[in-house]
Each structure stands twice: as structure tokens, then as C-alpha cells.
Amino acid sequence: MQSAPAIQKLLDELERLPGVGPKSAQRMAYWILNSDRATALRLAEAIAEVKDTVRFCSRCFNYAEGDLCEICASTKRDQGILCVVSEPRDIPPIERTAVFSGVYHVLGGALSPMEGVGPDDLRIAELLARLASEPVTEVVLATNPNIEGETTAAYLARLIKPLGITVTRPASGLPVGGDLEFADEVTLGRALETRRPL
Amino acid sequence: MQSAPAIQKLLDELERLPGVGPKSAQRMAYWILNSDRATALRLAEAIAEVKDTVRFCSRCFNYAEGDLCEICASTKRDQGILCVVSEPRDIPPIERTAVFSGVYHVLGGALSPMEGVGPDDLRIAELLARLASEPVTEVVLATNPNIEGETTAAYLARLIKPLGITVTRPASGLPVGGDLEFADEVTLGRALETRRPL
């Protein structure tokens, strides 16, 4: 295909983005070419700005613009309940539920012997230091409900329970609004095992 | 949702891209946050570079980095056959077929009384000037096979045929490799009307 080198370079860079193949890269590139200069440069600047200003929160390792992330800096959060997640990207979905008002701790991954990720590769020492110095009474282990996440939660539960802190994990079960007919057997099995009295 | 302002700004700008909703913008933003600085900035720079260096070819109005686009600047193209398209984005798919070796002319749209696009809004005067000065013997009207594209092709055919230049249009019909069973009736009807002896 005959493309100007600058366009080809833009296509190559766009295709690196997750979920972007050649066709969508081309649609985006033409949108950028067609849009006015200011609009296109706002996107370029937003990318540069995020790399310049965003780092890890010194306390919970969420993304932050200052020393602390917006959640750690807030005076409205319950400091007694701490939610452990694998990655910063796991925080926004939990925040959107508006059910959790505590603080977070980002591990930076999950235990995975297959991929050579051990306890020392995660921010577990930092978590234990926080539990020793902060007034935490409950830790919610919100790692993913897959093998690595379950392993990580089991490992952390063993470490934290002896400290006299309540350890919980979000329930697994049927998605709200879903059809029982279409549930996978593992989820349905888990939902039956953990059935609750009404 | 509690996001750092720089992340929120990046999400807003990513969501402007065609085909990008909140979920994919978030995936892209986290990819940018996770990737090393150089990779992220290459994308930002590719966007800025394309806006700085890419303009319209002075001859055919394709995107170009210099005065002429790569196709007009090439010595290998057949100057006797000229393909008329609506937009620069229509050129790469034609180039990928490797069937066409002529040159192009980009109209910058298609006639649309509904949207108030008339002949003066398209680069039709520029096309006629080229036909008067260049050794063109055939014009391929490759506007889209929809109402606006068909109208534009019919309008241009009426202007160009009196000049003694052959005017053609790509065939409409069944997609190669497609199933007759799943063809829409308009396409199948057109394919039957324009059936060819074997």
C-alpha cells in the first residue's frame, strides 16, 4: 500500500494499542488526518501529559498525579477497610459500584508460578507494612476470580488472618440480570455452593 | 469515577476516535499508562507529525507529504487512466488490489442535495482542468455504490463523455467468496442485470 511515511508511522503506532487492528487503525488515522489541527494535537498532548504527570501513589500504588492518589488524599474514605486489587485498572469498576468507601492497595499483578511471579514480585511487603501502621480492621481481597487471583487471595489470607484482621472476598455467583440457562457450570456450581438463606 | 485529571483528559480525547467507546478508551489509556515512556510518546509524536507534514497533493488531492503524493510522484503509474474517488481513504483499498496502475483524483465528497453538497463543493473544476491538460483516455468513476456515489458518477459521466474520454465504473455484483443465499436483493438484482457471457 502506498502511504506517506508519516501516515504509515501513525498507522504502526495506532496498531500497537490494545484491540486496534489494521482496519480500525486506518479509521483512526483518517479521522486524525481529517480533524482540525487543535483536536488532533489535544490527543497527542493528553498522551504526553499522562506520561509526564502520572506516577504511582506512594501509599496504595494506584495511579496518582501528586504524591497520593485522589482516593488516598480524600478525607471521606473509610481508613478501616482496605481493598486489595491486582492492577490500577481494577479500581474504577469497583468505584463505579459506589458500594465501597474504603481505601485500596494495588499489588501490581497476581501470583503465577507459570509466569514466574512470586510473592516478592508483588507489593505484599508494602501491604503488610500498611496493615501494621494503619487502623485497618477488614481487608477485602478483590483479586480476579481466576486461578492466579484465587491463589493470590489464598496466600494473602494466610498472611493476614493471624494479624487479627477480618479477611473477605467478593462473592462469586450468577451475574445480576443474567439468565441461569446461560451461566457457565463453574459459576453456577459456585453460586449453588455459596447459596444464602433468604 | 475517581480518575486523576490527566487520565480523565486522555480518556475524553481517546473517546473522540471513531469506534472507540468508554471501555476501549479505558483499555487504551491503561495500555498507555503501563507502557514505557518512549513507546507512548512515539504515538503522540506520530499524531503531531502527521498534522505537521501531511497536506493535500496539489494534483490529485490525495494525502501527501511533499507537493505531490507518492502516486503522482511515481514514474511507474499509467498517466492515461484516471480513477475518481470521493475521499483519500478510498485509495488504499484500490491500491491493495494491485489491479489498477493509473492515477487518482479525489473529489473531497459526493453530491448530496440532502446535505447541501453541490458540484461547486467538490473538486470537479480541478478534475476537468486535468482532463484538458493530461493525456487521459479513460476515467474510472470509483465513487461509492450508494445513492450519493451513483449520483456523482452519473453527473461526472455526463460532463466527461462529450470530451471523447472513455468513462467506466467498477462492476456492482456478488462479493467474491460470498454466498448467493446471503446476498441482499439489490446486489443480487444488479448482479443478474449485469450478467456476463462465459
Coordinates of all heavy atoms in Angstrom, one line a residue, chain A residues 1-7 9-10 13 16-20 27-28 30-35 37 40-44 46-54 63 65 70 88-89 92 95-96, chain B residues 1-2 4-7 9-10 13-14 16-20 27-28 30-35 37 40-44 46-54 63 65 70 88-89 92 95-96:
Chain A
M1 N 0.8 -1.2 0.0 CA 0.0 0.0 0.0 C 0.9 1.2 0.0 O 1.8 1.3 0.7 CB -0.9 0.0 1.3 CG -1.8 1.1 1.4 SD -2.7 1.0 2.9 CE -2.4 2.6 3.6
Q2 N 0.5 2.2 -0.8 CA 1.3 3.4 -0.9 C 0.8 4.4 0.1 O -0.2 5.1 -0.2 CB 1.1 4.0 -2.3 CG 1.6 3.1 -3.5 CD 2.8 3.7 -4.2 OE1 3.4 4.6 -3.6 NE2 3.1 3.2 -5.3
S3 N 1.4 4.6 1.2 CA 1.1 5.6 2.1 C 2.3 6.5 2.4 O 3.4 6.1 2.3 CB 0.7 5.0 3.5 OG -0.7 4.7 3.5
A4 N 2.0 7.8 2.6 CA 3.0 8.7 3.0 C 3.7 8.1 4.3 O 3.0 7.6 5.1 CB 2.5 10.1 3.3
P5 N 5.0 8.3 4.4 CA 5.7 7.7 5.6 C 5.2 8.1 6.9 O 5.0 7.3 7.8 CB 7.2 8.2 5.4 CG 7.3 8.5 4.0 CD 6.0 8.9 3.5
A6 N 4.8 9.4 7.0 CA 4.2 9.9 8.3 C 2.9 9.2 8.6 O 2.6 8.8 9.8 CB 4.0 11.4 8.2
I7 N 2.1 8.9 7.6 CA 0.8 8.2 7.8 C 1.1 6.7 8.2 O 0.5 6.2 9.1 CB -0.1 8.3 6.5 CG1 -0.4 9.7 6.2 CG2 -1.4 7.5 6.7 CD1 -1.3 9.9 5.0
K9 N 3.7 5.6 9.7 CA 4.2 5.6 11.1 C 3.1 5.7 12.1 O 3.0 5.0 13.1 CB 5.2 6.8 11.3 CG 6.2 6.6 12.4 CD 6.9 7.9 12.8 CE 7.9 8.3 11.8 NZ 8.5 9.6 12.2
L10 N 2.1 6.6 11.8 CA 0.9 6.7 12.6 C 0.1 5.4 12.7 O -0.3 5.0 13.8 CB 0.1 7.9 12.1 CG -1.2 8.1 12.9 CD1 -0.9 8.4 14.4 CD2 -2.0 9.3 12.3
E13 N 1.9 3.0 14.9 CA 1.8 3.3 16.4 C 0.4 3.0 16.9 O 0.2 2.5 18.0 CB 2.2 4.7 16.6 CG 3.7 5.0 16.3 CD 4.6 4.2 17.1 OE1 4.3 3.7 18.2 OE2 5.7 3.9 16.6
R16 N -0.4 -0.6 17.7 CA 0.1 -1.2 19.0 C -0.9 -1.1 20.1 O -0.9 -1.9 21.1 CB 1.3 -0.3 19.5 CG 2.5 -0.6 18.7 CD 3.6 0.4 19.3 NE 4.6 0.7 18.2 CZ 5.6 0.0 17.9 NH1 5.8 -1.2 18.6 NH2 6.4 0.3 17.0
L17 N -1.9 -0.2 20.0 CA -2.9 -0.1 21.0 C -3.7 -1.4 21.2 O -4.0 -2.0 20.2 CB -3.9 1.1 20.7 CG -3.3 2.5 20.8 CD1 -4.3 3.5 20.2 CD2 -3.0 2.9 22.2
P18 N -4.2 -1.7 22.4 CA -4.9 -2.9 22.6 C -6.3 -2.9 21.8 O -6.9 -1.8 21.9 CB -5.1 -3.0 24.1 CG -5.0 -1.6 24.5 CD -4.0 -0.9 23.6
G19 N -6.6 -4.0 21.1 CA -7.9 -4.0 20.5 C -7.9 -3.3 19.1 O -9.0 -3.1 18.6
V20 N -6.8 -2.8 18.7 CA -6.8 -2.0 17.4 C -6.1 -2.8 16.4 O -4.9 -3.1 16.5 CB -6.1 -0.6 17.6 CG1 -6.0 0.1 16.3 CG2 -6.9 0.2 18.7
R27 N -9.1 3.7 10.2 CA -10.2 4.6 10.5 C -9.8 5.7 11.4 O -10.1 6.9 11.2 CB -11.4 3.9 11.2 CG -12.3 3.3 10.2 CD -13.4 2.4 11.0 NE -14.4 3.2 11.6 CZ -15.1 2.8 12.6 NH1 -15.0 1.6 13.1 NH2 -16.0 3.6 13.2
M28 N -9.0 5.4 12.4 CA -8.5 6.4 13.4 C -7.5 7.4 12.7 O -7.6 8.6 12.9 CB -7.8 5.8 14.5 CG -8.7 5.0 15.5 SD -7.7 4.1 16.7 CE -9.0 3.2 17.5
Y30 N -7.4 8.2 9.5 CA -8.1 9.1 8.7 C -8.9 10.2 9.5 O -9.0 11.3 9.1 CB -9.0 8.4 7.7 CG -8.2 7.8 6.5 CD1 -8.1 6.5 6.3 CD2 -7.5 8.7 5.7 CE1 -7.3 6.0 5.3 CE2 -6.8 8.2 4.6 CZ -6.7 6.9 4.4 OH -5.9 6.4 3.4
W31 N -9.4 9.7 10.6 CA -10.1 10.7 11.5 C -9.1 11.8 12.0 O -9.4 13.0 11.9 CB -10.7 10.0 12.7 CG -11.4 10.9 13.6 CD1 -12.7 11.2 13.6 CD2 -10.9 11.5 14.8 NE1 -13.0 12.0 14.6 CE2 -11.9 12.3 15.4 CE3 -9.6 11.6 15.3 CZ2 -11.7 13.1 16.5 CZ3 -9.4 12.4 16.5 CH2 -10.5 13.1 17.0
I32 N -7.9 11.3 12.3 CA -6.9 12.3 12.8 C -6.5 13.2 11.6 O -6.4 14.4 11.8 CB -5.6 11.6 13.3 CG1 -6.0 10.9 14.7 CG2 -4.5 12.5 13.5 CD1 -5.0 9.9 15.2
L33 N -6.3 12.6 10.4 CA -6.0 13.5 9.2 C -7.1 14.5 8.9 O -6.8 15.6 8.5 CB -5.7 12.6 8.0 CG -4.3 11.9 8.1 CD1 -4.3 10.7 7.1 CD2 -3.2 12.8 7.7
N34 N -8.3 14.0 9.1 CA -9.5 14.9 8.7 C -9.8 15.9 9.8 O -10.4 17.0 9.5 CB -10.7 14.1 8.5 CG -10.9 13.6 7.1 OD1 -10.5 14.4 6.1 ND2 -11.4 12.5 6.8
S35 N -9.4 15.7 11.0 CA -9.8 16.6 12.1 C -9.0 17.8 12.1 O -7.9 17.8 11.5 CB -9.8 15.9 13.4 OG -8.4 15.5 13.7
R37 N -6.4 20.7 13.3 CA -5.1 20.5 14.0 C -5.2 20.5 15.5 O -4.6 19.7 16.2 CB -4.2 21.7 13.5 CG -2.8 21.5 13.8 CD -2.0 22.8 13.4 NE -0.8 22.9 14.2 CZ 0.2 22.1 14.0 NH1 0.3 21.3 13.0 NH2 1.3 22.2 14.8
A40 N -6.6 17.2 17.0 CA -5.6 16.1 16.9 C -4.5 16.3 17.9 O -4.1 15.3 18.6 CB -5.0 16.0 15.5
L41 N -4.0 17.5 18.1 CA -2.9 17.8 19.0 C -3.4 17.6 20.4 O -2.5 17.3 21.3 CB -2.3 19.2 18.7 CG -1.6 19.3 17.4 CD1 -0.7 20.5 17.3 CD2 -0.7 18.0 17.1
R42 N -4.7 17.9 20.7 CA -5.1 17.6 22.1 C -4.9 16.2 22.5 O -4.5 15.9 23.6 CB -6.6 18.0 22.2 CG -6.8 19.5 22.7 CD -8.1 19.6 23.4 NE -9.3 19.1 22.7 CZ -9.9 19.7 21.7 NH1 -9.5 20.9 21.3 NH2 -10.9 19.1 21.1
L43 N -5.2 15.3 21.5 CA -4.9 13.8 21.8 C -3.5 13.6 22.1 O -3.1 12.9 23.1 CB -5.5 13.0 20.7 CG -5.2 11.5 20.8 CD1 -5.7 10.8 22.0 CD2 -5.8 10.7 19.6
A44 N -2.6 14.1 21.2 CA -1.2 13.9 21.4 C -0.7 14.5 22.7 O 0.1 13.8 23.4 CB -0.4 14.6 20.2
A46 N -2.5 14.9 25.4 CA -3.1 14.2 26.5 C -2.2 12.9 26.8 O -2.0 12.6 28.0 CB -4.5 13.8 26.3
I47 N -1.7 12.3 25.7 CA -0.8 11.2 25.9 C 0.5 11.6 26.6 O 0.9 11.0 27.6 CB -0.5 10.5 24.5 CG1 -1.8 9.9 23.9 CG2 0.6 9.4 24.7 CD1 -1.7 9.6 22.5
A48 N 1.1 12.7 26.1 CA 2.3 13.1 26.6 C 2.1 13.6 28.1 O 3.0 13.2 29.0 CB 2.9 14.3 25.8
E49 N 1.0 14.2 28.4 CA 0.8 14.8 29.7 C 0.6 13.6 30.7 O 1.2 13.7 31.9 CB -0.5 15.6 29.8 CG -0.6 16.4 31.1 CD -1.9 17.2 31.2 OE1 -2.5 17.5 30.1 OE2 -2.4 17.4 32.3
V50 N -0.1 12.6 30.3 CA -0.3 11.4 31.2 C 1.1 10.8 31.6 O 1.3 10.3 32.7 CB -1.3 10.5 30.6 CG1 -0.7 9.2 30.1 CG2 -2.5 10.2 31.5
K51 N 2.0 10.7 30.6 CA 3.3 10.1 30.9 C 4.1 11.0 31.7 O 5.0 10.6 32.4 CB 4.0 9.8 29.6 CG 3.3 8.7 28.7 CD 3.0 7.5 29.5 CE 4.1 6.5 29.8 NZ 3.7 5.3 30.4
D52 N 3.9 12.4 31.6 CA 4.7 13.3 32.4 C 4.2 13.4 33.8 O 5.0 13.6 34.7 CB 4.6 14.7 31.7 CG 5.5 14.8 30.5 OD1 6.4 13.9 30.4 OD2 5.3 15.7 29.7
T53 N 2.9 13.3 34.0 CA 2.4 13.7 35.3 C 1.9 12.5 36.2 O 1.7 12.7 37.4 CB 1.2 14.7 35.2 OG1 0.1 14.0 34.5 CG2 1.6 15.9 34.4
V54 N 1.6 11.4 35.5 CA 1.0 10.3 36.3 C 2.1 9.3 36.8 O 2.9 8.9 36.0 CB -0.1 9.6 35.5 CG1 -0.6 8.4 36.3 CG2 -1.2 10.5 35.1
Y63 N -2.7 4.8 40.3 CA -2.1 5.9 39.5 C -2.5 7.2 40.3 O -3.5 7.4 40.8 CB -2.7 6.0 38.1 CG -2.2 4.9 37.2 CD1 -3.1 4.0 36.6 CD2 -0.8 4.7 37.1 CE1 -2.6 3.0 35.8 CE2 -0.4 3.6 36.2 CZ -1.3 2.8 35.6 OH -0.8 1.8 34.8
E65 N -1.5 11.7 40.4 CA -0.8 12.9 39.8 C 0.1 13.5 40.8 O 1.2 14.0 40.5 CB -1.8 13.9 39.3 CG -2.4 13.4 37.9 CD -3.0 14.5 37.1 OE1 -2.4 15.5 36.9 OE2 -4.2 14.3 36.8
E70 N -6.1 10.3 44.3 CA -7.3 11.0 44.8 C -8.0 10.3 45.9 O -8.6 10.9 46.8 CB -8.2 11.3 43.6 CG -7.5 11.9 42.4 CD -8.3 13.0 41.8 OE1 -9.6 13.0 41.9 OE2 -7.7 13.9 41.1
P88 N -4.1 -1.1 38.9 CA -4.9 0.1 39.0 C -6.2 0.1 38.2 O -7.2 0.7 38.6 CB -3.9 1.2 38.4 CG -2.6 0.6 38.6 CD -2.7 -0.9 38.5
R89 N -6.2 -0.7 37.1 CA -7.4 -0.7 36.2 C -8.6 -1.4 36.9 O -9.7 -1.3 36.5 CB -7.1 -1.4 34.9 CG -6.8 -2.8 35.0 CD -6.8 -3.5 33.6 NE -6.1 -4.8 33.7 CZ -4.9 -5.0 33.4 NH1 -4.1 -4.0 33.0 NH2 -4.4 -6.2 33.5
P92 N -11.3 1.5 39.0 CA -12.5 2.2 38.5 C -13.8 1.4 38.6 O -14.9 1.9 39.0 CB -12.1 2.7 37.1 CG -10.6 2.8 37.2 CD -10.2 1.7 38.1
E95 N -15.1 1.4 42.1 CA -15.6 2.8 42.4 C -16.9 3.0 41.8 O -17.8 3.7 42.4 CB -14.6 3.8 41.9 CG -13.3 3.9 42.7 CD -13.6 4.4 44.2 OE1 -14.0 5.5 44.4 OE2 -13.5 3.5 45.1
R96 N -17.2 2.5 40.6 CA -18.4 2.8 39.9 C -19.6 2.2 40.6 O -20.7 2.6 40.5 CB -18.4 2.3 38.5 CG -17.7 3.3 37.5 CD -18.0 3.0 36.1 NE -17.4 1.7 35.6 CZ -16.2 1.7 35.1 NH1 -15.4 2.7 35.0 NH2 -15.7 0.5 34.8
Chain B
M1 N -16.6 8.4 38.9 CA -15.4 7.6 38.9 C -14.2 8.6 39.3 O -14.1 9.7 38.8 CB -15.1 7.0 37.5 CG -13.9 6.2 37.5 SD -13.6 5.5 35.8 CE -12.0 6.0 35.5
Q2 N -13.4 8.1 40.2 CA -12.3 8.9 40.7 C -11.1 8.7 39.8 O -10.4 7.7 39.9 CB -11.9 8.5 42.1 CG -13.0 8.8 43.1 CD -12.6 9.8 44.1 OE1 -11.7 10.6 43.8 NE2 -13.3 9.9 45.2
A4 N -7.5 10.5 38.0 CA -6.6 11.7 38.0 C -7.0 12.5 36.8 O -7.4 12.0 35.8 CB -5.2 11.3 37.9
P5 N -7.0 13.9 36.9 CA -7.5 14.7 35.8 C -6.8 14.4 34.5 O -7.4 14.4 33.4 CB -7.1 16.2 36.3 CG -7.1 16.1 37.8 CD -6.6 14.7 38.1
A6 N -5.5 14.2 34.5 CA -4.7 13.9 33.3 C -5.2 12.6 32.7 O -5.4 12.5 31.4 CB -3.2 13.8 33.6
I7 N -5.6 11.6 33.5 CA -6.1 10.4 32.9 C -7.5 10.6 32.3 O -7.8 10.1 31.2 CB -6.2 9.3 34.0 CG1 -4.8 9.0 34.5 CG2 -6.8 8.0 33.4 CD1 -4.7 7.9 35.6
K9 N -8.6 13.4 31.1 CA -8.5 14.1 29.8 C -8.1 13.2 28.7 O -8.6 13.2 27.6 CB -7.4 15.2 30.0 CG -7.5 16.3 29.0 CD -6.2 17.2 29.0 CE -6.0 18.0 30.2 NZ -4.7 18.8 30.2
L10 N -7.2 12.2 29.0 CA -6.8 11.3 28.0 C -8.0 10.4 27.6 O -8.2 10.1 26.4 CB -5.6 10.4 28.5 CG -5.1 9.3 27.6 CD1 -4.6 9.8 26.3 CD2 -4.0 8.4 28.3
E13 N -10.2 12.4 25.2 CA -9.7 12.5 23.9 C -9.7 11.2 23.1 O -10.0 11.2 21.9 CB -8.2 13.1 23.9 CG -8.1 14.5 24.6 CD -8.9 15.5 23.8 OE1 -9.1 15.4 22.6 OE2 -9.4 16.5 24.5
L14 N -9.4 10.1 23.8 CA -9.4 8.8 23.1 C -10.8 8.4 22.7 O -11.0 7.9 21.6 CB -8.9 7.7 24.1 CG -7.4 7.7 24.3 CD1 -7.1 6.7 25.4 CD2 -6.6 7.3 23.0
R16 N -13.0 10.3 21.5 CA -13.4 11.0 20.3 C -13.1 10.2 19.0 O -13.7 10.4 18.0 CB -12.6 12.3 20.1 CG -13.1 13.4 21.1 CD -12.2 14.6 20.8 NE -12.1 15.4 22.0 CZ -13.0 16.4 22.4 NH1 -14.0 16.6 21.6 NH2 -12.8 17.0 23.5
L17 N -12.1 9.3 19.1 CA -11.7 8.5 18.0 C -12.9 7.6 17.5 O -13.7 7.2 18.3 CB -10.5 7.6 18.3 CG -9.2 8.3 18.6 CD1 -8.2 7.3 19.2 CD2 -8.6 8.8 17.3
P18 N -13.0 7.4 16.2 CA -14.1 6.6 15.7 C -14.0 5.2 16.2 O -12.9 4.6 16.2 CB -13.9 6.7 14.1 CG -12.4 7.0 14.0 CD -12.0 7.8 15.1
G19 N -15.1 4.6 16.6 CA -15.2 3.2 17.0 C -14.7 3.0 18.4 O -14.5 1.9 18.8
V20 N -14.3 4.1 19.1 CA -13.8 3.9 20.5 C -14.8 4.4 21.5 O -15.2 5.6 21.5 CB -12.5 4.7 20.7 CG1 -12.0 4.6 22.1 CG2 -11.4 4.2 19.7
R27 N -9.2 0.8 28.1 CA -8.1 -0.2 27.8 C -6.9 0.5 27.2 O -5.8 0.2 27.6 CB -8.6 -1.3 26.8 CG -9.3 -2.4 27.5 CD -9.9 -3.4 26.5 NE -8.9 -4.2 25.8 CZ -9.1 -4.8 24.7 NH1 -10.3 -4.7 24.0 NH2 -8.1 -5.5 24.1
M28 N -7.2 1.4 26.3 CA -6.1 2.1 25.6 C -5.3 3.0 26.6 O -4.1 3.0 26.6 CB -6.6 3.0 24.5 CG -7.1 2.2 23.3 SD -7.8 3.3 22.1 CE -8.5 2.2 21.0
Y30 N -5.0 2.6 29.9 CA -4.2 1.8 30.8 C -3.0 1.2 30.0 O -1.9 1.1 30.6 CB -5.0 0.7 31.4 CG -5.8 1.2 32.6 CD1 -7.2 1.2 32.6 CD2 -5.2 1.8 33.7 CE1 -7.9 1.8 33.7 CE2 -5.9 2.3 34.7 CZ -7.2 2.3 34.7 OH -7.9 2.8 35.8
W31 N -3.2 0.9 28.8 CA -2.0 0.5 28.0 C -1.0 1.6 27.9 O 0.2 1.3 28.1 CB -2.5 0.1 26.6 CG -1.3 -0.4 25.7 CD1 -0.9 -1.7 25.6 CD2 -0.5 0.4 24.8 NE1 0.2 -1.8 24.7 CE2 0.4 -0.5 24.2 CE3 -0.5 1.7 24.5 CZ2 1.3 -0.1 23.3 CZ3 0.4 2.1 23.6 CH2 1.4 1.3 23.0
I32 N -1.4 2.8 27.7 CA -0.5 4.0 27.6 C 0.2 4.2 28.9 O 1.4 4.4 29.0 CB -1.3 5.2 27.1 CG1 -1.7 5.1 25.6 CG2 -0.5 6.5 27.3 CD1 -2.7 6.1 25.1
L33 N -0.6 4.1 30.0 CA -0.1 4.3 31.4 C 1.0 3.2 31.7 O 2.0 3.5 32.3 CB -1.2 4.3 32.4 CG -2.0 5.6 32.5 CD1 -3.3 5.4 33.2 CD2 -1.2 6.7 33.2
N34 N 0.7 2.0 31.3 CA 1.6 0.9 31.6 C 2.8 0.8 30.7 O 3.9 0.3 31.0 CB 0.9 -0.5 31.4 CG 0.3 -0.9 32.7 OD1 0.8 -0.7 33.8 ND2 -0.9 -1.5 32.6
S35 N 2.7 1.4 29.5 CA 3.8 1.2 28.5 C 5.0 2.2 28.9 O 4.8 3.1 29.6 CB 3.3 1.5 27.1 OG 2.9 2.8 27.0
R37 N 7.7 5.1 28.6 CA 7.5 6.5 28.2 C 7.8 6.6 26.7 O 7.0 7.3 26.0 CB 8.5 7.3 29.0 CG 8.3 8.8 28.9 CD 9.4 9.5 29.7 NE 9.5 10.8 29.1 CZ 8.6 11.8 29.3 NH1 7.6 11.6 30.1 NH2 8.7 13.0 28.7
A40 N 4.9 5.3 24.4 CA 3.7 6.2 24.4 C 4.0 7.5 23.7 O 3.1 8.0 22.9 CB 3.4 6.5 25.9
L41 N 5.2 8.0 23.8 CA 5.5 9.3 23.2 C 5.6 9.1 21.7 O 5.3 10.1 20.9 CB 6.7 10.0 23.8 CG 6.5 10.5 25.2 CD1 7.7 11.3 25.6 CD2 5.2 11.2 25.4
R42 N 6.0 7.9 21.2 CA 6.1 7.7 19.8 C 4.7 7.9 19.1 O 4.5 8.4 18.0 CB 6.6 6.3 19.4 CG 8.1 6.3 19.3 CD 8.6 5.1 18.4 NE 8.0 3.8 18.8 CZ 8.5 3.1 19.8 NH1 9.5 3.5 20.4 NH2 7.9 1.9 20.0
L43 N 3.6 7.4 19.8 CA 2.3 7.6 19.4 C 1.9 9.1 19.3 O 1.4 9.6 18.3 CB 1.3 6.8 20.2 CG -0.2 7.0 20.0 CD1 -0.6 6.8 18.5 CD2 -1.1 6.2 20.9
A44 N 2.2 9.8 20.4 CA 1.9 11.2 20.5 C 2.6 12.0 19.3 O 2.0 12.8 18.7 CB 2.3 11.8 21.8
A46 N 3.7 10.7 16.5 CA 3.2 10.3 15.2 C 2.0 11.1 14.8 O 1.7 11.5 13.7 CB 2.9 8.8 15.2
I47 N 1.1 11.4 15.9 CA -0.1 12.2 15.6 C 0.3 13.6 15.3 O -0.2 14.2 14.3 CB -1.0 12.2 16.9 CG1 -1.5 10.8 17.2 CG2 -2.1 13.2 16.8 CD1 -2.2 10.6 18.5
A48 N 1.2 14.2 16.0 CA 1.7 15.6 15.8 C 2.4 15.6 14.4 O 2.1 16.6 13.6 CB 2.6 16.0 16.9
E49 N 3.2 14.6 14.1 CA 3.9 14.7 12.8 C 3.0 14.7 11.6 O 3.2 15.4 10.6 CB 4.9 13.5 12.8 CG 5.9 13.6 11.6 CD 6.8 12.4 11.4 OE1 7.1 11.7 12.5 OE2 7.2 12.2 10.3
V50 N 2.0 13.8 11.7 CA 1.0 13.7 10.6 C 0.3 15.0 10.4 O 0.0 15.4 9.2 CB 0.1 12.5 10.9 CG1 -1.3 12.9 11.3 CG2 0.1 11.5 9.8
K51 N 0.0 15.7 11.5 CA -0.7 17.0 11.3 C 0.3 18.1 10.8 O -0.1 19.0 10.1 CB -1.3 17.5 12.6 CG -2.4 16.6 13.2 CD -3.5 16.3 12.1 CE -4.4 17.4 11.9 NZ -5.5 17.0 11.0
D52 N 1.6 17.9 11.1 CA 2.6 18.9 10.6 C 3.0 18.7 9.2 O 3.2 19.7 8.5 CB 3.9 18.8 11.5 CG 3.6 19.4 12.9 OD1 2.7 20.3 13.0 OD2 4.4 19.1 13.8
T53 N 3.1 17.4 8.8 CA 3.7 17.2 7.5 C 2.7 16.8 6.4 O 3.1 16.9 5.2 CB 4.7 16.0 7.6 OG1 4.1 14.8 7.9 CG2 5.8 16.4 8.6
V54 N 1.5 16.3 6.7 CA 0.7 15.8 5.7 C -0.3 16.9 5.2 O -1.0 17.5 6.0 CB -0.1 14.5 6.2 CG1 -1.1 14.1 5.1 CG2 0.8 13.4 6.5
Y63 N -3.7 12.5 0.2 CA -2.8 13.0 1.2 C -1.4 12.9 0.7 O -1.0 11.9 0.0 CB -2.9 12.2 2.5 CG -4.2 12.4 3.3 CD1 -5.1 11.4 3.6 CD2 -4.6 13.7 3.6 CE1 -6.3 11.6 4.3 CE2 -5.8 14.0 4.3 CZ -6.6 12.9 4.6 OH -7.8 13.2 5.3
E65 N 3.0 14.1 1.5 CA 3.9 14.8 2.5 C 4.7 15.9 1.8 O 5.0 16.9 2.4 CB 4.9 13.8 3.0 CG 4.3 13.0 4.1 CD 5.3 12.3 5.0 OE1 6.2 12.9 5.6 OE2 5.2 11.0 5.1
E70 N 2.6 10.2 -3.2 CA 3.6 9.2 -3.7 C 3.2 8.6 -5.1 O 4.0 8.2 -5.9 CB 3.7 8.0 -2.7 CG 4.0 8.5 -1.3 CD 5.1 7.7 -0.6 OE1 5.3 6.5 -0.9 OE2 5.8 8.3 0.2
P88 N -9.6 10.5 0.2 CA -8.3 9.8 0.2 C -8.4 8.4 0.8 O -7.6 7.5 0.3 CB -7.5 10.7 1.1 CG -8.1 12.1 1.1 CD -9.6 11.8 0.9
R89 N -9.3 8.2 1.7 CA -9.4 6.8 2.3 C -9.8 5.7 1.4 O -9.7 4.6 1.6 CB -10.3 6.8 3.6 CG -11.7 7.1 3.3 CD -12.6 6.8 4.5 NE -13.9 7.3 4.3 CZ -14.3 8.5 4.8 NH1 -13.5 9.2 5.5 NH2 -15.5 9.0 4.5
P92 N -6.3 3.6 -0.6 CA -5.6 2.4 -0.2 C -6.3 1.0 -0.5 O -5.6 0.1 -1.0 CB -5.5 2.5 1.4 CG -5.5 4.0 1.5 CD -6.4 4.6 0.5
E95 N -5.5 0.4 -4.1 CA -4.1 0.1 -4.3 C -3.8 -1.4 -3.9 O -3.0 -2.0 -4.5 CB -3.2 1.0 -3.5 CG -3.2 2.4 -4.0 CD -2.5 2.4 -5.4 OE1 -1.3 2.1 -5.4 OE2 -3.1 2.7 -6.4
R96 N -4.5 -1.8 -2.8 CA -4.2 -3.2 -2.3 C -4.7 -4.2 -3.3 O -4.1 -5.4 -3.3 CB -5.0 -3.4 -1.0 CG -4.2 -2.9 0.2 CD -4.8 -3.4 1.5 NE -6.1 -3.0 1.8 CZ -6.4 -1.9 2.5 NH1 -5.4 -1.1 3.0 NH2 -7.6 -1.5 2.7

